[in-house]
Amino acid sequence: MTSETVCAGAAGTWLLGDLRVNRIGFGAMRLTGSAAFHQGIPRDRGQAIGVLRRAVELGVNHIDTAAFYFSRLRSANELINSALAPYPDDLVIATKVGPTRDASGAWTAPARPDQLRGQVEENLRQLGRDHLDVVNLRLMGQESISEHFGALADLRAAGLIRHLGISAARPAHLARAQAIAPVVCVQNRYGIDARASDEMLHTCAAQGIAFVPFFSLAGEGREAGAVHAEHEQVRTVARAHGVSPSRVRLAWTLRQGKHILAIPGTGDPDHLIDNLAAGSLHLTAEDLELLDAIDCTAP
């Protein structure tokens, strides 16, 4: 399949609050290098900028990023700003706050509620914007969400943020957040072999909230990147359609609900095309039965 026949809108659209986006977006984390941030060789800057521009040309209008997506030589936000500003009117940039890294790249204690404004302002500065379309509160294992989400709700009321979401959250977190301010999306790890968030996925569907899975392609590789050992069921379906296992994984994820917004990330232009092509891959009932049978508890 060539790039001329690929479009991010092939899988349809969904709403982030009042912002309509194509269901296949783009995750910016891998633009900085490896998913482990400071490890590995940084992406070629020109290639990263080219991938961002090509993604938008092909209909991507939802980009997921964060100020803590940086490596020794690359910042995802700075690359987005350099590649795409002045931004298209329909481009939605979602970022996240909560985790904290120092200048060396080491993870430190998560931000306190009173530190979230600084993180929001850092994203604004790096992206060159006067407001953020969507800000997700990335939970770091804490049970209580009220103070942190309340701080973001205050920034929303002040006009710095348009919409709010939560990440790495459970249904109880969603209910507490909704008691404070509207929640337009939930970002959780979810994929063909990582279905611990099934309950949250269905909760979001019932309420019309966008569910934004991360690591849908990574499988057991997770932060390390590609899948270490692909499941035979995925390989079987991929061979039957003459496509990559990654495309099968994304197509399966999209089939789990019209409210799912995929955000596969890559710094490779060929992988970008392959990811976007998942929106037009038709999985048969037999394919889905085979893929659904994958043992998600296997090591």
Side-chain angles (χ1 to χ4, degrees), residues 39-125:
Q39 299 176 11
I41 299 172
R43 295 283 186 186
D44 176 80
R45 176 180 169 79
Q47 178 173 301
I49 287 176
V51 165
L52 280 164
R53 289 174 175 166
R54 188 64 178 137
V56 171
E57 288 174 0
L58 293 172
V60 168
N61 57 6
H62 171 213
I63 294 177
D64 176 77
T65 187
F68 55 83
Y69 287 173
F70 67 89
S71 62
R72 291 185 181 91
L73 296 177
R74 300 285 180 265
S75 157
N77 281 353
E78 187 276 326
L79 288 168
I80 292 168
N81 190 345
S82 296
L84 302 176
Y87 300 106
D89 291 340
D90 67 339
L91 180 63
V92 175
I93 299 179
T95 188
K96 61 190 70 65
V97 295
T100 302
R101 299 171 68 201
D102 62 24
S104 72
W107 295 101
T108 62
R112 302 186 308 268
D114 63 305
Q115 294 174 318
L116 292 178
R117 183 182 184 112
Q119 291 195 339
V120 167
E121 290 178 344
E122 180 68 0
N123 278 281
L124 287 169
R125 183 189 66 77

Side-chain angles (χ1 to χ4, degrees), residues 14-15 17 166 170-179 181-186 199-211 259:
W14 193 258
L15 289 170
I166 54 177
R170 301 190 302 274
H173 292 130
L174 176 60
R176 295 188 192 109
Q178 288 175 308
V183 175
V184 303
C185 60
V186 174
E199 182 183 359
M200 181 65 94
L201 183 148
H202 297 310
T203 298
C204 289
Q207 299 182 31
I209 297 171
F211 184 82
H259 65 306

Side-chain angles (χ1 to χ4, degrees), residues 50-282:
V51 165
L52 280 164
R53 289 174 175 166
R54 188 64 178 137
V56 171
E57 288 174 0
L58 293 172
V60 168
N61 57 6
H62 171 213
I63 294 177
D64 176 77
T65 187
F68 55 83
Y69 287 173
F70 67 89
S71 62
R72 291 185 181 91
L73 296 177
R74 300 285 180 265
S75 157
N77 281 353
E78 187 276 326
L79 288 168
I80 292 168
N81 190 345
S82 296
L84 302 176
Y87 300 106
D89 291 340
D90 67 339
L91 180 63
V92 175
I93 299 179
T95 188
K96 61 190 70 65
V97 295
T100 302
R101 299 171 68 201
D102 62 24
S104 72
W107 295 101
T108 62
R112 302 186 308 268
D114 63 305
Q115 294 174 318
L116 292 178
R117 183 182 184 112
Q119 291 195 339
V120 167
E121 290 178 344
E122 180 68 0
N123 278 281
L124 287 169
R125 183 189 66 77
Q126 292 177 356
L127 291 167
R129 307 199 74 171
D130 59 8
H131 77 279
L132 298 174
D133 297 321
V134 181
V135 172
N136 291 289
L137 174 63
R138 178 67 155 86
L139 300 179
M140 303 298 289
Q142 62 262 49
E143 288 296 321
S144 175
I145 193 174
S146 299
E147 288 189 47
H148 287 80
F149 199 76
L152 292 181
D154 289 342
L155 297 177
R156 175 177 175 267
L160 296 184
I161 301 170
R162 186 164 181 175
H163 294 299
L164 296 174
I166 54 177
S167 178
R170 301 190 302 274
H173 292 130
L174 176 60
R176 295 188 192 109
Q178 288 175 308
I180 297 169
V183 175
V184 303
C185 60
V186 174
Q187 280 194 0
N188 276 12
R189 185 181 180 219
Y190 189 79
I192 205 166
D193 46 11
R195 304 180 202 173
S197 288
D198 267 336
E199 182 183 359
M200 181 65 94
L201 183 148
H202 297 310
T203 298
C204 289
Q207 299 182 31
I209 297 171
F211 184 82
V212 187
F214 57 81
F215 293 151
S216 290
L217 295 182
E220 294 177 10
R222 300 185 66 182
E223 290 89 340
V227 177
H228 292 315
E230 186 57 271
H231 300 282
E232 181 57 35
Q233 296 96 321
V234 176
R235 291 199 297 266
T236 296
V237 173
R239 286 194 297 267
H241 290 274
V243 300
S244 69
S246 293
R247 196 180 304 187
V248 171
R249 282 177 165 265
L250 272 179
W252 180 91
T253 301
L254 291 165
R255 283 292 297 271
Q256 303 312 300
K258 295 294 187 183
H259 65 306
I260 290 178
L261 300 177
I263 50 169
T266 182
D268 185 300
D270 292 330
H271 291 169
L272 170 68
I273 299 303
D274 194 46
N275 291 342
L276 296 182
S280 55
L281 175 60
H282 174 70

